[in-house]
Amino acid sequence: MSILVTGGTGFIGSHTAVEMIEAGTKVLIVDNFSNSKPAVLDRIFRITGVKPEFVLCDLCDYDALEIVFANHPDIEGCIHFAGLKAVGESVQKPVEYYRNNLVSTMNLCQFLAKYGAKKLVFSSSATVYGKPASVPIREDFPLSCTNPYGETKLVIEYLLRDLVVADPEWSIVVLRYFNPIGAHKSGLMGEDPKGIPNNLLPYVSKVANGKLPYLHVFGNDYHTHDGTGVRDYIHVVDLARAHLDAIRYARERSGIDYINLGTGCGYSVLDIVHAYENATGKKVPYRIEARRPGDIDECYADPSKALRVLGWKAERNLEDMCRDSDHWQSLNPDGYPEKEEA
Ligand code: WQD
C-alpha cells in the first residue's frame, strides 16, 4: 500500500516524504512544481537512498488525476499539502486561490472515494483562527479568516466536515500548522521561497548570510513582551513526523478530527533575531518599521490535544530551528538548483 503525498516537493511535503520513507512507508508524490523544483526529488534520494515514485500532475486537471489513481491502485490514503499559500498574493489573486485550492481538493476527494482510499490528512493552518480572543489557542476556538488564502483553508475544512457527514466511511485528520521553520539537519532540504521571502525565518536566514541587507521588523507596538509579533514556531521535521502519527490515527478510526501542531511556546520577532544570532554567531541587522496589514499580536498553540490523540509533541527547540535553517541557507544560498542533479 502507498500514501499519496500531494505537494510532496514543497517545504513541508518534502520533509514529510523523507520521514515517511525512513519509517518504511511507500509514498507516491504528486506535484506540479508551481512552487517547488524537481531537484527536491534528488535531495530526498540523497537523504533516504530511495527515489520516491513521482508523477507530475496538476490536481486541478481532473482527467490527469484520474490516470494517477488508475495507475496506482495501491493508494490507501493521502496527505494533501498541495495548494497556493502566500497570504499577500491571495489578496491580489482571490479567484486563482479559490479555484486552485478548492478545485484541486474536490477532485482529490472524488478520486480518493472512487478508488476506495478514504483516509485523508489535510494540511490546514492556524490562520483559520483569525485574531484569537486569547492564547494559547485550542482546537475548539472560533474560526474566522482575514485573507483569501485562509478562507480557502477554512472552506476546505467545511467541505471535509460535510464529506464525513455524507459518507461516514471517511477518516479525515485536519492538521492546523502554526509557523513551520527550520530545515533537514543534513542541509540538503529546506525552505526555498520564490523571490524575496514573505515569512520571517527565510528572510532572517538571507540577512544573516549576506543575501539581504537587513530585516524589516513589521511593528514594535503590539501587545507583546517586546512589542513585536509573537508566533509559535515549530521545526519542520517535528511537523513532518506528526504526519506519520496522523496517518496512523486515520487508519484507526473514521470521522473527522482537528489537531493543532505547534510547540505551545510563543516567540517574538526580536526573540527570533537574538536566537538566530546566538545559534549561528552571525549578525542579523534590523530596522523597526510599520506594521504589516493583517498581522496579529500573538498566536501560539495549546498543543495538548496532539499529545493526547496522536502521542506527538515537538522535540526540537528554537536553537535547533535557527541552526538548521542557517545550515540549509549557507549550503544553498540560492535555494534548490533549477535542474535536477546528477
Ligand atoms: C511572523 C512574524 C510578522 C516577516 C504566515 C501565514 C500563515 C502561515 C505561516 C501558511 C509576524 C513578522 C515577518 C518580515 C517581520 N503560512 N515579520 N518581518 O504571518 O505568522 O504566518 O506564515 O499556512 O498562514 O499567515 O508568519 O513569518 O510572515 O510572520 O517582522 O520580513 O514575523 O509581522 O509578526 P505569519 P510570518
Side-chain angles (χ1 to χ4, degrees):
M1 298 305 278
S2 73
I3 298 292
L4 172 62
V5 180
T6 73
T9 57
F11 175 41
I12 304 169
S14 56
H15 285 81
T16 300
V18 163
E19 296 304 316
M20 291 173 72
I21 290 168
E22 291 187 335
T25 303
K26 184 184 174 191
V27 301
L28 168 63
I29 294 177
V30 167
D31 209 307
N32 65 357
F33 295 137
S34 65
N35 192 28
S36 60
K37 295 174 184 164
V40 173
L41 296 168
D42 299 299
R43 299 295 175 90
I44 293 173
F45 173 68
R46 285 172 61 182
I47 291 170
T48 65
V50 173
K51 183 124 186 185
E53 192 168 1
F54 172 78
V55 178
L56 177 64
C57 176
D58 183 335
L59 301 183
C60 292
D61 183 336
Y62 187 88
D63 296 334
L65 186 55
E66 169 117 52
I67 292 169
V68 172
F69 278 87
N71 290 346
H72 298 87
D74 65 339
I75 293 172
E76 69 161 311
C78 175
I79 303 178
H80 181 32
F81 293 103
L84 300 175
K85 64 164 191 169
V87 170
E89 183 184 55
S90 77
V91 174
Q92 310 303 323
K93 302 176 179 176
V95 173
E96 184 178 344
Y97 267 69
Y98 274 96
R99 183 199 309 280
N100 181 80
N101 292 359
L102 298 185
V103 169
S104 58
T105 303
M106 290 186 283
N107 288 348
L108 180 67
C109 289
Q110 277 193 262
F111 291 125
L112 286 169
K114 179 176 179 180
Y115 287 85
K118 299 177 185 177
K119 297 181 187 67
L120 177 63
V121 173
F122 174 59
S123 166
S124 191
S125 167
T127 203
V128 302
Y129 295 113
K131 182 175 174 61
S134 64
V135 285
I137 298 171
R138 290 194 320 274
E139 288 82 356
D140 61 356
F141 272 29
L143 305 179
S144 69
C145 283
T146 58
N147 60 78
Y149 158 73
E151 293 288 1
T152 68
K153 289 295 185 184
L154 194 49
V155 170
I156 291 168
E157 288 200 12
Y158 294 151
L159 166 69
L160 298 177
R161 174 202 61 195
D162 295 342
L163 181 57
V164 165
V165 169
D167 179 355
E169 283 186 12
W170 275 92
S171 179
I172 298 176
V173 183
V174 175
L175 299 179
R176 292 171 179 161
Y177 309 154
F178 280 69
N179 287 62
I181 64 171
H184 191 267
K185 64 179 183 299
S186 64
L188 290 171
M189 288 193 335
E191 193 166 6
D192 184 18
K194 284 180 179 171
I196 303 295
N198 296 311
N199 295 134
L200 180 64
L201 229 292
Y203 202 104
V204 166
S205 287
K206 287 187 179 292
V207 170
N209 287 278
K211 300 293 281 185
L212 290 168
Y214 62 88
L215 171 69
H216 305 254
V217 175
F218 297 145
N220 68 343
D221 60 348
Y222 287 103
H223 298 104
T224 64
H225 64 274
D226 64 11
T228 63
V230 168
R231 299 291 185 274
D232 185 332
Y233 297 95
I234 176 171
H235 197 294
V236 65
V237 174
D238 278 332
L239 192 65
R241 290 184 174 180
H243 291 75
L244 301 181
D245 297 307
I247 282 285
R248 173 181 45 73
Y249 183 53
R251 284 186 179 124
E252 292 167 353
R253 59 191 293 286
S254 60
I256 190 168
D257 208 354
Y258 306 85
I259 300 172
N260 286 343
L261 293 183
T263 64
C265 301
Y267 291 108
S268 74
V269 176
L270 294 183
D271 289 335
I272 295 294
V273 168
H274 300 142
Y276 200 100
E277 292 181 330
N278 293 336
T280 64
K282 299 176 181 175
K283 295 305 287 177
V284 179
Y286 64 86
R287 292 181 189 169
I288 303 293
E289 297 180 359
R291 290 185 176 195
R292 179 173 64 178
D295 275 354
I296 62 177
D297 300 65
E298 281 195 303
C299 176
Y300 57 89
D302 173 341
S304 56
K305 182 174 179 183
L307 181 58
R308 186 175 71 251
V309 165
L310 297 181
W312 172 92
K313 69 182 175 76
E315 296 169 355
R316 290 157 183 79
N317 61 27
L318 191 56
E319 181 183 356
D320 299 324
M321 298 179 216
C322 293
R323 185 196 58 242
D324 293 341
S325 288
D326 194 67
H327 187 204
W328 153 256
Q329 177 62 39
S330 56
L331 293 182
N332 305 272
D334 298 315
Y336 290 105
E338 288 302 327
K339 294 266 185 284
E340 289 200 50
E341 297 168 322

